[in-house]
PDB file of all heavy atoms in Angstrom:
ATOM      1  N   GLN C  74      44.813  -3.461 -19.234  1.00 98.00           N
ATOM      2  CA  GLN C  74      45.689  -4.128 -18.254  1.00 98.00           C
ATOM      3  C   GLN C  74      45.202  -3.840 -16.835  1.00 98.00           C
ATOM      4  O   GLN C  74      45.175  -4.741 -15.971  1.00 98.00           O
ATOM      5  CB  GLN C  74      47.132  -3.622 -18.445  1.00 98.00           C
ATOM      6  CG  GLN C  74      48.122  -4.093 -17.393  1.00 98.00           C
ATOM      7  CD  GLN C  74      48.462  -5.566 -17.543  1.00 98.00           C
ATOM      8  OE1 GLN C  74      48.082  -6.212 -18.516  1.00 98.00           O
ATOM      9  NE2 GLN C  74      49.142  -6.122 -16.537  1.00 98.00           N
ATOM     10  N   LYS C  75      44.794  -2.619 -16.601  1.00 98.00           N
ATOM     11  CA  LYS C  75      44.309  -2.226 -15.277  1.00 98.00           C
ATOM     12  C   LYS C  75      43.062  -3.037 -14.914  1.00 98.00           C
ATOM     13  O   LYS C  75      42.914  -3.515 -13.786  1.00 98.00           O
ATOM     14  CB  LYS C  75      43.972  -0.725 -15.284  1.00 98.00           C
ATOM     15  CG  LYS C  75      44.541   0.034 -14.107  1.00 98.00           C
ATOM     16  CD  LYS C  75      44.376   1.533 -14.278  1.00 98.00           C
ATOM     17  CE  LYS C  75      42.990   2.016 -13.881  1.00 98.00           C
ATOM     18  NZ  LYS C  75      42.857   3.485 -14.054  1.00 98.00           N
ATOM     19  N   ALA C  77      42.252  -5.946 -15.997  1.00 98.00           N
ATOM     20  CA  ALA C  77      42.627  -7.339 -15.758  1.00 98.00           C
ATOM     21  C   ALA C  77      43.116  -7.518 -14.318  1.00 98.00           C
ATOM     22  O   ALA C  77      42.671  -8.413 -13.589  1.00 98.00           O
ATOM     23  CB  ALA C  77      43.702  -7.784 -16.749  1.00 98.00           C
ATOM     24  N   VAL C  78      44.021  -6.652 -13.924  1.00 98.00           N
ATOM     25  CA  VAL C  78      44.584  -6.760 -12.575  1.00 98.00           C
ATOM     26  C   VAL C  78      43.497  -6.579 -11.516  1.00 98.00           C
ATOM     27  O   VAL C  78      43.399  -7.361 -10.558  1.00 98.00           O
ATOM     28  CB  VAL C  78      45.710  -5.717 -12.378  1.00 98.00           C
ATOM     29  CG1 VAL C  78      46.165  -5.669 -10.917  1.00 98.00           C
ATOM     30  CG2 VAL C  78      46.888  -6.041 -13.301  1.00 98.00           C
ATOM     31  N   GLU C  79      42.686  -5.572 -11.745  1.00 98.00           N
ATOM     32  CA  GLU C  79      41.612  -5.312 -10.780  1.00 98.00           C
ATOM     33  C   GLU C  79      40.668  -6.506 -10.663  1.00 98.00           C
ATOM     34  O   GLU C  79      40.323  -6.951  -9.579  1.00 98.00           O
ATOM     35  CB  GLU C  79      40.827  -4.072 -11.217  1.00 98.00           C
ATOM     36  CG  GLU C  79      39.647  -3.769 -10.293  1.00 98.00           C
ATOM     37  CD  GLU C  79      38.750  -2.649 -10.834  1.00 98.00           C
ATOM     38  OE1 GLU C  79      39.003  -2.183 -11.967  1.00 98.00           O
ATOM     39  OE2 GLU C  79      37.796  -2.259 -10.123  1.00 98.00           O
ATOM     40  N   SER C  80      40.278  -7.030 -11.804  1.00 98.00           N
ATOM     41  CA  SER C  80      39.333  -8.132 -11.817  1.00 98.00           C
ATOM     42  C   SER C  80      39.930  -9.381 -11.166  1.00 98.00           C
ATOM     43  O   SER C  80      39.264 -10.061 -10.376  1.00 98.00           O
ATOM     44  CB  SER C  80      38.921  -8.427 -13.265  1.00 98.00           C
ATOM     45  OG  SER C  80      38.102  -9.575 -13.317  1.00 98.00           O
ATOM     46  N   ASN C  81      41.170  -9.670 -11.491  1.00 98.00           N
ATOM     47  CA  ASN C  81      41.792 -10.877 -10.934  1.00 98.00           C
ATOM     48  C   ASN C  81      41.957 -10.781  -9.413  1.00 98.00           C
ATOM     49  O   ASN C  81      41.697 -11.753  -8.696  1.00 98.00           O
ATOM     50  CB  ASN C  81      43.139 -11.136 -11.612  1.00 98.00           C
ATOM     51  CG  ASN C  81      42.945 -11.497 -13.080  1.00 98.00           C
ATOM     52  OD1 ASN C  81      41.878 -11.992 -13.466  1.00 98.00           O
ATOM     53  ND2 ASN C  81      43.957 -11.237 -13.905  1.00 98.00           N
ATOM     54  N   ASN C  82      42.369  -9.597  -8.972  1.00 98.00           N
ATOM     55  CA  ASN C  82      42.499  -9.430  -7.517  1.00 98.00           C
ATOM     56  C   ASN C  82      41.146  -9.577  -6.823  1.00 98.00           C
ATOM     57  O   ASN C  82      41.028 -10.216  -5.779  1.00 98.00           O
ATOM     58  CB  ASN C  82      43.088  -8.053  -7.192  1.00 98.00           C
ATOM     59  CG  ASN C  82      44.553  -7.981  -7.596  1.00 98.00           C
ATOM     60  OD1 ASN C  82      45.193  -9.008  -7.854  1.00 98.00           O
ATOM     61  ND2 ASN C  82      45.080  -6.764  -7.670  1.00 98.00           N
ATOM     62  N   TYR C  83      40.154  -8.966  -7.432  1.00 98.00           N
ATOM     63  CA  TYR C  83      38.806  -8.983  -6.844  1.00 98.00           C
ATOM     64  C   TYR C  83      38.252 -10.394  -6.741  1.00 98.00           C
ATOM     65  O   TYR C  83      37.805 -10.843  -5.688  1.00 98.00           O
ATOM     66  CB  TYR C  83      37.882  -8.106  -7.705  1.00 98.00           C
ATOM     67  CG  TYR C  83      36.421  -8.198  -7.319  1.00 98.00           C
ATOM     68  CD1 TYR C  83      35.932  -7.472  -6.225  1.00 98.00           C
ATOM     69  CD2 TYR C  83      35.540  -8.991  -8.040  1.00 98.00           C
ATOM     70  CE1 TYR C  83      34.589  -7.550  -5.864  1.00 98.00           C
ATOM     71  CE2 TYR C  83      34.203  -9.072  -7.690  1.00 98.00           C
ATOM     72  CZ  TYR C  83      33.727  -8.358  -6.607  1.00 98.00           C
ATOM     73  OH  TYR C  83      32.408  -8.447  -6.245  1.00 98.00           O
ATOM     74  N   ALA C  99      41.085 -16.362 -14.962  1.00 98.00           N
ATOM     75  CA  ALA C  99      41.680 -15.034 -14.991  1.00 98.00           C
ATOM     76  C   ALA C  99      41.156 -14.235 -16.180  1.00 98.00           C
ATOM     77  O   ALA C  99      40.709 -14.791 -17.180  1.00 98.00           O
ATOM     78  CB  ALA C  99      43.195 -15.163 -15.096  1.00 98.00           C
ATOM     79  N   ALA C 100      41.214 -12.906 -16.040  1.00 98.00           N
ATOM     80  CA  ALA C 100      41.010 -11.991 -17.165  1.00 98.00           C
ATOM     81  C   ALA C 100      42.374 -11.452 -17.562  1.00 98.00           C
ATOM     82  O   ALA C 100      43.211 -11.200 -16.689  1.00 98.00           O
ATOM     83  CB  ALA C 100      40.081 -10.854 -16.758  1.00 98.00           C
ATOM     84  N   ALA C 109      50.321 -10.198 -21.318  1.00 98.00           N
ATOM     85  CA  ALA C 109      49.201 -11.099 -21.076  1.00 98.00           C
ATOM     86  C   ALA C 109      49.695 -12.349 -20.372  1.00 98.00           C
ATOM     87  O   ALA C 109      49.092 -12.836 -19.404  1.00 98.00           O
ATOM     88  CB  ALA C 109      48.521 -11.468 -22.400  1.00 98.00           C
ATOM     89  N   ALA C 110      50.819 -12.870 -20.848  1.00 98.00           N
ATOM     90  CA  ALA C 110      51.404 -14.068 -20.238  1.00 98.00           C
ATOM     91  C   ALA C 110      51.798 -13.796 -18.792  1.00 98.00           C
ATOM     92  O   ALA C 110      51.610 -14.650 -17.909  1.00 98.00           O
ATOM     93  CB  ALA C 110      52.607 -14.529 -21.058  1.00 98.00           C
ATOM     94  N   GLU C 111      52.333 -12.618 -18.562  1.00 98.00           N
ATOM     95  CA  GLU C 111      52.770 -12.275 -17.198  1.00 98.00           C
ATOM     96  C   GLU C 111      51.591 -12.182 -16.237  1.00 98.00           C
ATOM     97  O   GLU C 111      51.636 -12.685 -15.127  1.00 98.00           O
ATOM     98  CB  GLU C 111      53.559 -10.954 -17.222  1.00 98.00           C
ATOM     99  CG  GLU C 111      54.947 -11.122 -17.803  1.00 98.00           C
ATOM    100  CD  GLU C 111      55.601  -9.786 -18.148  1.00 98.00           C
ATOM    101  OE1 GLU C 111      54.951  -8.720 -17.933  1.00 98.00           O
ATOM    102  OE2 GLU C 111      56.722  -9.796 -18.667  1.00 98.00           O
ATOM    103  N   GLU C 112      50.527 -11.518 -16.679  1.00 98.00           N
ATOM    104  CA  GLU C 112      49.362 -11.383 -15.802  1.00 98.00           C
ATOM    105  C   GLU C 112      48.701 -12.743 -15.579  1.00 98.00           C
ATOM    106  O   GLU C 112      48.235 -13.038 -14.477  1.00 98.00           O
ATOM    107  CB  GLU C 112      48.351 -10.382 -16.376  1.00 98.00           C
ATOM    108  CG  GLU C 112      47.070 -10.241 -15.580  1.00 98.00           C
ATOM    109  CD  GLU C 112      47.273  -9.800 -14.111  1.00 98.00           C
ATOM    110  OE1 GLU C 112      48.384  -9.347 -13.754  1.00 98.00           O
ATOM    111  OE2 GLU C 112      46.319  -9.952 -13.324  1.00 98.00           O
ATOM    112  N   LEU C 113      48.697 -13.556 -16.625  1.00 98.00           N
ATOM    113  CA  LEU C 113      48.152 -14.904 -16.455  1.00 98.00           C
ATOM    114  C   LEU C 113      48.975 -15.683 -15.430  1.00 98.00           C
ATOM    115  O   LEU C 113      48.414 -16.354 -14.543  1.00 98.00           O
ATOM    116  CB  LEU C 113      48.137 -15.648 -17.803  1.00 98.00           C
ATOM    117  CG  LEU C 113      47.671 -17.098 -17.728  1.00 98.00           C
ATOM    118  CD1 LEU C 113      46.268 -17.205 -17.120  1.00 98.00           C
ATOM    119  CD2 LEU C 113      47.683 -17.747 -19.107  1.00 98.00           C
ATOM    120  N   SER C 114      50.283 -15.582 -15.521  1.00 98.00           N
ATOM    121  CA  SER C 114      51.147 -16.277 -14.559  1.00 98.00           C
ATOM    122  C   SER C 114      50.849 -15.815 -13.133  1.00 98.00           C
ATOM    123  O   SER C 114      50.719 -16.632 -12.212  1.00 98.00           O
ATOM    124  CB  SER C 114      52.623 -16.008 -14.858  1.00 98.00           C
ATOM    125  OG  SER C 114      52.962 -16.542 -16.111  1.00 98.00           O
ATOM    126  N   ARG C 115      50.758 -14.503 -12.963  1.00 98.00           N
ATOM    127  CA  ARG C 115      50.450 -13.963 -11.642  1.00 98.00           C
ATOM    128  C   ARG C 115      49.101 -14.498 -11.152  1.00 98.00           C
ATOM    129  O   ARG C 115      48.971 -14.944 -10.002  1.00 98.00           O
ATOM    130  CB  ARG C 115      50.416 -12.432 -11.699  1.00 98.00           C
ATOM    131  CG  ARG C 115      50.280 -11.769 -10.340  1.00 98.00           C
ATOM    132  CD  ARG C 115      50.107 -10.254 -10.455  1.00 98.00           C
ATOM    133  NE  ARG C 115      48.761  -9.869 -10.865  1.00 98.00           N
ATOM    134  CZ  ARG C 115      47.755  -9.572 -10.018  1.00 98.00           C
ATOM    135  NH1 ARG C 115      47.967  -9.589  -8.713  1.00 98.00           N
ATOM    136  NH2 ARG C 115      46.552  -9.258 -10.482  1.00 98.00           N
ATOM    137  N   ALA C 116      48.096 -14.479 -12.029  1.00 98.00           N
ATOM    138  CA  ALA C 116      46.744 -14.884 -11.630  1.00 98.00           C
ATOM    139  C   ALA C 116      46.708 -16.366 -11.247  1.00 98.00           C
ATOM    140  O   ALA C 116      45.989 -16.764 -10.333  1.00 98.00           O
ATOM    141  CB  ALA C 116      45.752 -14.597 -12.752  1.00 98.00           C
ATOM    142  N   VAL C 117      47.471 -17.152 -11.942  1.00 98.00           N
ATOM    143  CA  VAL C 117      47.472 -18.585 -11.652  1.00 98.00           C
ATOM    144  C   VAL C 117      48.326 -18.890 -10.421  1.00 98.00           C
ATOM    145  O   VAL C 117      47.877 -19.536  -9.470  1.00 98.00           O
ATOM    146  CB  VAL C 117      47.978 -19.392 -12.881  1.00 98.00           C
ATOM    147  CG1 VAL C 117      48.209 -20.853 -12.515  1.00 98.00           C
ATOM    148  CG2 VAL C 117      47.000 -19.263 -14.038  1.00 98.00           C
ATOM    149  N   ILE C 118      49.561 -18.391 -10.443  1.00 98.00           N
ATOM    150  CA  ILE C 118      50.512 -18.783  -9.388  1.00 98.00           C
ATOM    151  C   ILE C 118      50.209 -18.078  -8.076  1.00 98.00           C
ATOM    152  O   ILE C 118      50.175 -18.693  -7.014  1.00 98.00           O
ATOM    153  CB  ILE C 118      51.956 -18.482  -9.846  1.00 98.00           C
ATOM    154  CG1 ILE C 118      52.283 -19.376 -11.066  1.00 98.00           C
ATOM    155  CG2 ILE C 118      52.949 -18.732  -8.718  1.00 98.00           C
ATOM    156  CD1 ILE C 118      53.555 -18.997 -11.782  1.00 98.00           C
ATOM    157  N   GLU C 119      49.952 -16.796  -8.147  1.00 98.00           N
ATOM    158  CA  GLU C 119      49.751 -16.049  -6.905  1.00 98.00           C
ATOM    159  C   GLU C 119      48.303 -16.044  -6.441  1.00 98.00           C
ATOM    160  O   GLU C 119      48.034 -16.032  -5.241  1.00 98.00           O
ATOM    161  CB  GLU C 119      50.241 -14.599  -7.072  1.00 98.00           C
ATOM    162  CG  GLU C 119      51.745 -14.533  -7.309  1.00 98.00           C
ATOM    163  CD  GLU C 119      52.232 -13.095  -7.499  1.00 98.00           C
ATOM    164  OE1 GLU C 119      51.562 -12.166  -6.997  1.00 98.00           O
ATOM    165  OE2 GLU C 119      53.265 -12.914  -8.168  1.00 98.00           O
ATOM    166  N   LEU C 120      47.372 -16.015  -7.411  1.00 98.00           N
ATOM    167  CA  LEU C 120      45.963 -15.855  -7.017  1.00 98.00           C
ATOM    168  C   LEU C 120      45.168 -17.154  -7.105  1.00 98.00           C
ATOM    169  O   LEU C 120      44.020 -17.212  -6.660  1.00 98.00           O
ATOM    170  CB  LEU C 120      45.298 -14.794  -7.897  1.00 98.00           C
ATOM    171  CG  LEU C 120      45.957 -13.406  -7.893  1.00 98.00           C
ATOM    172  CD1 LEU C 120      45.219 -12.478  -8.865  1.00 98.00           C
ATOM    173  CD2 LEU C 120      45.956 -12.804  -6.488  1.00 98.00           C
ATOM    174  N   GLY C 121      45.720 -18.182  -7.717  1.00 98.00           N
ATOM    175  CA  GLY C 121      45.039 -19.475  -7.750  1.00 98.00           C
ATOM    176  C   GLY C 121      43.991 -19.644  -8.837  1.00 98.00           C
ATOM    177  O   GLY C 121      43.140 -20.548  -8.747  1.00 98.00           O
ATOM    178  N   CYS C 122      44.027 -18.799  -9.858  1.00 98.00           N
ATOM    179  CA  CYS C 122      43.077 -18.997 -10.958  1.00 98.00           C
ATOM    180  C   CYS C 122      43.350 -20.338 -11.645  1.00 98.00           C
ATOM    181  O   CYS C 122      44.487 -20.782 -11.759  1.00 98.00           O
ATOM    182  CB  CYS C 122      43.197 -17.858 -11.978  1.00 98.00           C
ATOM    183  SG  CYS C 122      42.446 -16.329 -11.393  1.00 98.00           S
ATOM    184  N   THR C 154      53.338 -19.869 -22.380  1.00 98.00           N
ATOM    185  CA  THR C 154      53.085 -19.711 -20.945  1.00 98.00           C
ATOM    186  C   THR C 154      51.886 -20.537 -20.505  1.00 98.00           C
ATOM    187  O   THR C 154      51.895 -21.157 -19.443  1.00 98.00           O
ATOM    188  CB  THR C 154      52.850 -18.215 -20.624  1.00 98.00           C
ATOM    189  OG1 THR C 154      53.994 -17.486 -21.046  1.00 98.00           O
ATOM    190  CG2 THR C 154      52.610 -18.011 -19.140  1.00 98.00           C
ATOM    191  N   LEU C 158      52.088 -23.255 -17.630  1.00 98.00           N
ATOM    192  CA  LEU C 158      51.242 -23.178 -16.430  1.00 98.00           C
ATOM    193  C   LEU C 158      50.262 -24.354 -16.366  1.00 98.00           C
ATOM    194  O   LEU C 158      49.731 -24.664 -15.308  1.00 98.00           O
ATOM    195  CB  LEU C 158      50.449 -21.859 -16.420  1.00 98.00           C
ATOM    196  CG  LEU C 158      51.254 -20.579 -16.265  1.00 98.00           C
ATOM    197  CD1 LEU C 158      50.367 -19.363 -16.531  1.00 98.00           C
ATOM    198  CD2 LEU C 158      51.852 -20.508 -14.848  1.00 98.00           C
TER     199      LEU C 158
END
Side-chain angles (χ1 to χ4, degrees):
Chain C
Q74 173 72 8
K75 228 171 82 180
V78 171
E79 177 188 5
S80 174
N81 293 335
N82 290 345
Y83 172 80
E111 286 166 0
E112 176 59 14
L113 176 57
S114 296
R115 187 186 77 93
V117 170
I118 295 169
E119 295 179 25
L120 303 177
C122 285
T154 302
L158 293 170

